[in-house]
Amino acid sequence: MVYLTSFLLKQYHGGHVVIRLALGGATNRPFYRIVAAYNKRARDGKYIEQLGSYDPLPNIYNEKLVSFNYDRIKYWMGCGAHPTKPVAKLLGLAGFFPLHPMTITEAERQRKAALEDEVKVQNEDQDVKQAEQ
């Protein structure tokens, strides 16, 4: 296997290597491969190496499955590869990076909205029961 040094990576037509999501799967059933690829290539085009996978649709246990090859991600980042924002978010949630403050803010906002919806449903149920009596 040929390993590219960071000097060679920078010489690729003025581009650089990125760690990004490559779309796979079928219609209405997305599946992503986490890959190291040149930034000038197409999203689903040829890539250098597959570093993991991500299934964004929840399974029967309401889990979104993600797998990483941390050793290869460390290698490519050491060679100068830049992760895209979605990959950086996944790596942050996995504990590889520190979490971005907006990730925490978004989670708090969604949690608050879910609680408000739950309270609204409970109030409507109580109103219906009082109206029946």
Side-chain angles (χ1 to χ4, degrees):
M1 181 174 216
V2 176
Y3 293 104
L4 300 173
T5 63
S6 59
F7 177 74
L8 290 175
L9 294 177
K10 292 177 185 172
Q11 295 300 318
Y12 174 73
H13 302 293
H16 57 277
V17 174
V18 292
I19 299 173
R20 66 177 175 204
L21 298 174
L23 180 63
T27 305
N28 295 326
R29 184 70 179 100
F31 182 82
Y32 295 95
R33 291 184 305 273
I34 300 167
V35 298
Y38 293 111
N39 69 327
K40 306 260 183 187
R41 293 243 186 222
R43 177 192 65 191
D44 304 330
K46 188 175 176 182
Y47 54 86
I48 303 169
E49 181 179 4
Q50 182 172 343
L51 305 174
S53 62
Y54 170 53
D55 187 3
L57 295 180
N59 61 10
I60 59 172
Y61 303 109
N62 204 22
E63 300 169 335
K64 297 179 179 182
L65 303 177
V66 181
S67 67
F68 294 112
N69 186 345
Y70 288 115
D71 294 333
R72 297 306 294 170
I73 290 173
K74 286 179 187 176
Y75 167 78
W76 281 109
M77 293 190 74
C79 287
H82 303 283
T84 59
K85 287 183 181 181
V87 171
K89 185 175 180 180
L90 288 174
L91 289 171
L93 291 172
F96 189 80
F97 283 151
L99 278 176
H100 191 274
M102 286 308 296
T103 303
I104 297 168
T105 305
E106 183 180 339
E108 290 172 349
R109 195 176 313 126
Q110 290 176 351
R111 204 173 296 128
K112 184 178 178 182
L115 285 173
E116 289 175 357
D117 290 344
E118 186 176 318
V119 168
K120 184 188 270 186
V121 169
Q122 288 176 352
N123 289 340
E124 289 174 359
D125 290 344
Q126 289 176 356
D127 292 342
V128 169
K129 287 181 182 178
Q130 289 177 358
E132 291 175 356
Q133 294 175 353

